[in-house]
Amino acid sequence: MLDVRQLWRGLHGVPQLLLVQPDQLGYDLAYALALLPLVVAGIVFFLQDSILLFAISFLAGIVCLLALQLGRLTFGLPAWIGFKATHPLVASMLIACFFSPRTPAWVAASMVILFVLIDTVVWPQLQRVMLHPALIVFGILFIIQRELGIGFVNPFDGRHLDDPLTLWYKLQIVIDPVKLYVGNVPGPIGVTSAGAVLIGVIYLWYTRKISLGVIAGFLCGVAAVALAIRSDLGFQLASGPSLFLAGYVAADRRRVLLSERFTFVFGLAAGAVTMILRWYGEGQQAAWQGLLLVSAVVTVILRVQAMLRHRARETSRPPSVRTLSVESGEPDPHRLWAPVRPPVRQPVMAASTVTTAYSRGSAARPVRSFETQSDSNDLVRQMRNAATRSRPLGGAPVMAGSPVTTAYSRGSAARPVRSFETQSDSNDLVRQMRNAATRSRPLGGASASPLLLWPALLIFNPVGLWLTWSSPSIGRTTRLLVSAVSVLWYLGVAGLAFVLTHR
């Protein structure tokens, strides 16, 4: 019972998802819903011929889907296969809508498999290409139908009859635009009804899956040339196959590589070329031919632009400096003949207490290893000697006014020599801090009171927070963590104060 209720709630959420929040739908689901009116219209007008072609195409899409899944499981297909590609089942219906009612079954299955193969395997490897694979497949389909003598039929009696645009070119017959809107005219099985195509295009635009600039530009281009040649404007704009190619194929946002300000120009050029090809007798084939031609030109422009940007980026890089060895350079003649300067020797000061301290008893005692190390501070070396010897520095009485000598002379013979005192350190204050830290009593002889730490935290913590947020080297995560700990600290202090004051 619980599963039935959950299913019922899920079904109640479907209308909201499809109509209120359609932008959350994926491309495949949105295209599947947009293709539904076309399939219904094709079945209504062409009956069993359309049902057979739709079924064969759908089965071919299932075969492609199973082949891809099997390839991923057995051979481990790369992850880029199928990138921005149409689902095989949706692709089968998209291609089937453009078939003639007299199309053989093997041609229908071959075209679906070819489109899935190009769209899934070939197209993801190409970059900066605005050609839709469906336009190429429709071109191959046109060649096959012309070679096999496959044409269109009248939906009423099933007899051979040309499409309305070809009749307009050959016999100057203008079919009523209302009839074109309904769709009971010769043509492809799924796109003869301009009304059904407009419903799908409006839904795709509502779900933000197609570019409105391409469609508007295409219609404006067709209208401009139609007015220029004084043709019936309503008849030229009510062509279902042309609206299908412009809305479902060319305006797909996954394939449009132009920005929104250039999509209208692209559609305008494609519409103008389409109308010119109609004028020369191409009929309904003029739509995919015009879109294919303009898409090829845009692709060439994009590729050339990308190549020029790459070259400009390469030339803008600083040239690498090749360093030469010393032997390869020419010697400086001024340095070559310059006189050699003798090394300057510092005179020994007779009154130096450091020299006197070293001269006393230097031959009697052995030389220690740490005295042979280079140390620029003689006073540090003397302090080491005084700390390791049992008698004061230089054998002389220690001056009372020297706190450093007094600290090192007290008990120096009783305590052992530590390893860190024999290491080279030019800072006497650091050595004194080390000695004080190793002794039993603390530095300075006093311990910090806990009563002084609480006011220090309360006073200096805001300063630390300000330094934390003003330092650019500290990450945002660290800043937020330190601030959160500080807030918790203040809340704890405030809670403790509240408890103590409200007993």
Side-chain angles (χ1 to χ4, degrees):
M1 189 64 183
L2 182 61
D3 295 337
V4 176
R5 291 180 180 178
Q6 292 179 354
L7 180 60
W8 185 252
R9 292 176 183 176
L11 292 177
H12 273 287
V14 171
Q16 180 181 4
L17 181 64
L18 298 181
L19 300 177
V20 181
Q21 299 174 342
D23 52 343
Q24 298 182 4
L25 297 177
Y27 275 89
D28 294 327
L29 184 55
Y31 264 82
L33 294 175
L35 287 171
L36 187 59
L38 278 63
V39 175
V40 173
I43 294 175
V44 169
F45 291 121
F46 296 98
L47 301 177
Q48 59 182 5
D49 292 337
S50 62
I51 294 175
L52 179 62
L53 290 175
F54 282 136
I56 293 175
S57 301
F58 194 77
L59 289 177
I62 292 177
V63 171
C64 294
L65 179 62
L66 294 178
L68 290 175
Q69 296 296 334
L70 185 62
R72 293 185 188 277
L73 293 176
T74 56
F75 303 105
L77 297 178
W80 52 262
I81 291 182
F83 178 70
K84 289 186 178 181
T86 308
H87 195 274
L89 300 181
V90 180
S92 62
M93 293 293 100
L94 182 70
I95 299 299
C97 287
F98 213 72
F99 287 150
S100 171
R102 293 290 184 260
T103 303
W106 66 271
V107 174
S110 302
M111 292 298 101
V112 171
I113 295 174
L114 179 62
F115 174 75
V116 173
L117 181 64
I118 296 176
D119 192 32
T120 307
V121 180
V122 178
W123 230 247
Q125 304 182 57
L126 303 178
Q127 298 180 357
R128 310 297 294 175
V129 175
M130 199 170 167
L131 286 173
H132 198 287
L135 298 176
I136 300 176
V137 173
F138 291 154
I140 298 175
L141 178 64
F142 168 70
I143 296 175
I144 294 176
Q145 290 178 348
R146 187 179 61 179
E147 294 296 328
L148 297 178
I150 301 172
F152 301 107
V153 297
N154 191 350
F156 292 103
D157 53 10
R159 296 181 179 179
H160 176 76
L161 186 64
D162 292 331
D163 61 276
L165 292 174
T166 304
L167 294 176
W168 167 75
Y169 172 75
K170 293 180 177 180
L171 305 175
Q172 299 299 318
I173 297 176
V174 177
I175 299 178
D176 188 7
V178 177
K179 194 174 182 179
L180 295 176
Y181 182 82
V182 174
N184 52 347
V185 292
I189 58 176
V191 296
T192 56
S193 175
V197 175
L198 283 177
I199 292 175
V201 169
I202 291 173
Y203 184 75
L204 288 177
W205 169 77
Y206 183 63
T207 56
R208 305 295 188 270
K209 299 301 182 292
I210 59 175
S211 175
L212 185 61
V214 175
I215 303 173
F218 182 83
L219 295 178
C220 290
V222 171
V225 180
L227 292 177
I229 62 176
R230 297 181 181 181
S231 178
D232 188 272
L233 183 60
F235 170 75
Q236 299 294 342
L237 293 178
S239 174
S242 301
L243 293 176
F244 170 77
L245 292 172
Y248 283 78
V249 177
D252 190 353
R253 289 188 182 272
R254 295 173 296 181
R255 319 288 178 171
V256 177
L257 303 179
L258 300 175
S259 59
E260 290 295 331
R261 57 181 178 177
F262 293 115
T263 54
F264 182 82
V265 179
F266 169 79
L268 185 68
V273 174
T274 299
M275 193 59 208
I276 293 174
L277 292 176
R278 288 180 186 177
W279 177 256
Y280 283 96
E282 292 298 328
Q284 72 168 14
Q285 311 297 336
W288 67 263
Q289 292 175 1
L291 290 170
L292 184 63
L293 179 60
V294 177
S295 298
V297 173
V298 172
T299 299
V300 172
I301 294 175
L302 292 177
R303 298 289 291 184
V304 171
Q305 200 174 40
M307 183 177 62
L308 293 178
R309 288 178 180 175
H310 179 70
R311 288 185 178 180
R313 195 181 302 112
E314 290 292 334
T315 55
S316 62
R317 292 180 180 177
S320 58
V321 180
R322 186 169 63 93
T323 58
L324 301 176
S325 59
V326 178
E327 290 79 10
S328 62
E330 296 182 359
D332 191 0
H334 301 284
R335 292 185 177 182
L336 188 62
W337 299 102
V340 180
R341 296 181 180 179
V344 180
R345 307 181 66 179
Q346 298 291 341
V348 180
M349 299 179 64
S352 175
T353 59
V354 177
T355 309
T356 306
Y358 271 91
S359 61
R360 292 179 181 179
S362 57
R365 62 181 180 87
V367 180
R368 298 176 178 85
S369 60
F370 63 84
E371 294 179 353
T372 59
Q373 298 177 1
S374 62
D375 197 344
S376 59
N377 196 339
D378 294 333
L379 181 58
V380 175
R381 187 177 290 106
Q382 295 182 45
M383 293 173 65
R384 289 177 183 164
N385 297 336
T388 54
R389 273 185 272 172
S390 60
R391 58 187 180 85
L393 182 63
V398 181
M399 296 177 64
S402 177
V404 178
T405 310
T406 305
Y408 273 92
S409 61
R410 291 177 181 176
S412 59
R415 65 182 180 86
V417 180
R418 300 175 177 87
S419 60
F420 62 84
E421 294 180 350
T422 61
Q423 298 176 1
S424 61
D425 196 348
S426 59
N427 196 339
D428 295 329
L429 181 58
V430 175
R431 185 174 291 103
Q432 295 183 42
M433 295 174 65
R434 287 177 178 173
N435 296 334
T438 55
R439 294 172 191 167
S440 58
R441 59 186 181 87
L443 182 63
S447 60
S449 177
L451 298 177
L452 298 178
L453 296 178
W454 285 69
L457 288 174
L458 293 174
I459 295 173
F460 291 105
N461 192 52
V463 179
L465 285 177
W466 178 77
L467 293 175
T468 301
W469 283 93
S470 60
S471 177
S473 61
I474 301 177
R476 181 176 178 84
T477 305
T478 306
R479 294 176 183 176
L480 295 176
L481 183 61
V482 172
S483 302
V485 173
S486 301
V487 170
L488 293 177
W489 160 253
Y490 280 114
L491 289 178
V493 173
L496 181 60
F498 181 82
V499 171
L500 293 177
T501 54
H502 293 79
R503 286 184 177 179

